[in-house]
Amino acid sequence: MKFRKLSAILIAVMILSLMSGCGKKDKGAIDEMKDNYIKYVTLGTYKGVEYTPTHTEITDDYIQYDIQNLISMNTTQNQITEGIATMGDTVNIDFVGYIDDEAFDGGDSQGAGYDLVLGSNSFIDDFEDQICGHSPGDAFDVNVTFPEDYGNEDLAGKDAKFETTLNYIVENVEPEYNDVLVASATDYATTEEFETAKREEYETQAAESDLSTDKNTVFSKVIDSCTVSEYPETEVNDRIQMVMDNVQQEAEANGVDINTYLSNYGYDLDSFKENIKESVETYIREKMIVVAIADAEGISVSEEEADQKVQDLLAQTGLTDKETLSQQYGFKDEDYYYEVLYSKVFDFVYENAVAVEATETDATEDDASESDGLVDDYGTTEEDTEKTTEKDTEEE
């Protein structure tokens, strides 16, 4: 049975998407939150917070990636029907697999042809080694043994014979990167135009990403500098219960009880509830601090702004009316107000922060830190990606 991944991000999504409120009818949404939260919050430094601006350098490697991608997308193949297959070649084969002289499910290419890179270890045992030395048109047997830990229990540890035909050797023909290729495969006329446009795209993306990183850095420092003495017990418990109800529904949808469902992700019921409680309190702590800063700075939200947030969310979700949106995501009126308030406070603390350029020592330490992580094609570490994803989820 296949279960969907239950992660910290999923927990955050559950918390944010199952927001509920208990505002009184005779008070404004923001005023009600102030009454519930401010008495428990001691603000720290939220103006004049120092941060080092993020500067993502767009190197030639970024552009080279797009050049290579363009070449790859326009690479063609020739079918070579002469010669001998050697390790590293891509070959096209057909095969039928037998165990005890009986064909088995999944062991037949059904005459459709299968491209296989010799040496890729895509097939079991020494299957690929036994193709080397054969020529296109050859028909031969490949004898292998399935591993003991093979995923299919019916095949694990069994000896098998594959009646194999080598159809042809694949020759990849890469086009030359020049103005002709660019003009025929892109919206640009020359390689210079293509590379300039790609660089500008990366620079725009980098600027947006750097700004988001800086804002998150400042906001995190602000949150860390504040203290919360107590959480509203009713709200905490209500949110925990709503998340648990959602997980219960997920378990039932998968046809198992909640304990079995959680065990697939390394949780028991108690540890999961504790994890949820910590996530809920983290979210509510941030909310309480945001409301306290808004109160201190006189930041408010109008009815028109809250209505616009509703329209924005309708556009994002593809829903057509507020009632459906509220029912489907558990939103109350005050939640729309808070989302606007959060954005205003988030921007406020950044606009009142102080940028401090990195020293040579800081730059050296940053370089050393970056070299320790796995870097993808765009120069982003896996850890950065995960943090950005989690924060983006929270902001939404």
Side-chain angles (χ1 to χ4, degrees):
M1 181 174 294
K2 184 177 181 181
F3 292 88
R4 284 179 285 176
K5 183 178 181 182
L6 188 65
S7 63
I9 296 176
L10 173 58
I11 293 171
V13 170
M14 289 179 180
I15 295 168
L16 294 175
S17 65
L18 293 171
M19 295 188 293
S20 66
C22 52
K24 298 178 181 177
K25 296 295 184 180
D26 59 346
K27 298 198 71 172
I30 302 300
D31 288 337
E32 180 66 24
M33 284 188 280
K34 289 179 180 179
D35 288 348
N36 290 337
Y37 298 152
I38 290 177
K39 56 189 173 184
Y40 300 123
V41 179
T42 301
L43 292 176
T45 301
Y46 64 87
K47 289 191 289 189
V49 175
E50 293 186 350
Y51 72 99
T52 301
T54 305
H55 296 297
T56 299
E57 180 185 359
I58 304 304
T59 66
D60 290 341
D61 289 342
Y62 286 74
I63 313 306
Q64 189 58 44
Y65 173 86
D66 286 304
I67 292 173
Q68 189 56 52
N69 189 49
L70 178 64
I71 293 172
S72 297
M73 291 178 63
N74 289 277
T75 293
T76 58
Q77 293 183 338
N78 288 337
Q79 299 179 6
I80 307 300
T81 57
E82 297 179 349
I84 297 175
T86 60
M87 197 62 68
D89 285 344
T90 298
V91 295
N92 183 275
I93 59 174
D94 277 304
F95 51 85
V96 179
Y98 296 88
I99 292 180
D100 297 330
D101 295 325
E102 291 188 11
F104 59 88
D105 291 340
D108 189 342
S109 65
Q110 299 181 339
Y114 185 94
D115 284 350
L116 174 65
V117 179
L118 302 181
S120 64
N121 296 319
S122 301
F123 282 18
I124 62 170
D125 207 4
D126 59 348
F127 191 108
E128 296 165 27
D129 292 326
Q130 296 180 55
I131 296 176
C132 292
H134 286 284
S135 299
D138 286 355
F140 51 92
D141 290 343
V142 172
N143 297 292
V144 295
T145 301
F146 282 94
E148 293 290 345
D149 59 353
Y150 193 69
N152 186 333
E153 294 181 358
D154 293 334
L155 303 178
K158 300 289 184 64
D159 292 330
K161 177 183 71 175
F162 286 85
E163 293 182 353
T164 306
T165 300
L166 175 55
N167 298 320
Y168 53 83
I169 300 171
V170 178
E171 179 186 46
N172 291 320
V173 182
E174 292 188 349
E176 182 181 353
Y177 174 65
N178 53 27
D179 291 348
V180 175
L181 174 63
V182 169
S184 64
T186 74
D187 294 330
Y188 308 102
T190 66
T191 57
E192 182 178 1
E193 286 183 14
F194 175 74
E195 293 173 23
T196 298
K198 290 301 178 182
R199 187 176 295 278
E200 289 175 352
E201 288 177 12
Y202 280 122
E203 288 174 346
T204 298
Q205 293 170 6
E208 293 173 353
S209 177
D210 290 348
L211 177 60
S212 176
T213 297
D214 292 343
K215 285 185 173 183
N216 285 324
T217 296
V218 171
F219 189 73
S220 294
K221 287 187 174 184
V222 169
I223 297 300
D224 290 343
S225 74
C226 301
T227 57
V228 172
S229 61
E230 186 177 335
Y231 298 105
E233 184 176 357
T234 299
E235 182 175 2
V236 171
N237 291 335
D238 286 349
R239 291 179 186 276
I240 292 173
Q241 189 57 52
M242 294 181 81
V243 174
M244 294 306 302
D245 289 345
N246 186 277
V247 174
Q248 178 68 49
Q249 293 173 9
E250 290 288 330
E252 292 175 357
N254 282 280
V256 296
D257 61 70
I258 190 169
N259 290 299
T260 301
Y261 182 73
L262 292 175
S263 69
N264 283 277
Y265 306 103
Y267 289 104
D268 56 36
L269 192 58
D270 289 339
S271 65
F272 184 72
K273 284 182 176 179
E274 185 60 32
N275 195 306
I276 292 296
K277 181 181 179 182
E278 292 177 3
S279 298
V280 167
E281 289 182 348
T282 296
Y283 168 72
I284 293 179
R285 179 176 186 275
E286 180 181 279
K287 184 178 179 184
M288 295 170 73
I289 294 169
V290 166
V291 171
I293 293 174
D295 179 64
E297 294 298 327
I299 300 173
S300 61
V301 177
S302 68
E303 183 176 352
E304 291 74 18
E305 289 173 319
D307 289 341
Q308 183 58 54
K309 173 55 67 173
V310 173
Q311 297 305 312
D312 293 343
L313 290 172
L314 288 174
Q316 291 174 21
T317 59
L319 300 176
T320 57
D321 61 90
K322 179 181 177 182
E323 182 179 358
T324 303
L325 177 68
S326 298
Q327 289 178 350
Q328 184 162 327
Y329 289 93
F331 290 140
K332 300 294 184 180
D333 282 347
E334 63 196 62
D335 296 319
Y336 300 116
Y337 280 85
Y338 174 68
E339 288 302 301
V340 178
L341 189 71
Y342 173 90
S343 295
K344 287 188 173 185
V345 171
F346 188 77
D347 289 339
F348 174 85
V349 296
Y350 174 73
E351 291 164 0
N352 285 273
V354 178
V356 178
E357 292 297 330
T359 63
E360 290 187 9
T361 300
D362 292 335
T364 301
E365 291 176 351
D366 288 343
D367 290 342
S369 176
E370 289 180 4
S371 66
D372 292 335
L374 291 176
V375 181
D376 64 20
D377 291 324
Y378 299 97
T380 305
T381 65
E382 292 178 339
E383 182 180 7
D384 291 338
T385 302
E386 181 177 353
K387 290 180 179 177
T388 301
T389 303
E390 292 181 2
K391 191 58 189 175
D392 289 345
T393 303
E394 293 173 6
E395 288 178 21
E396 291 174 1

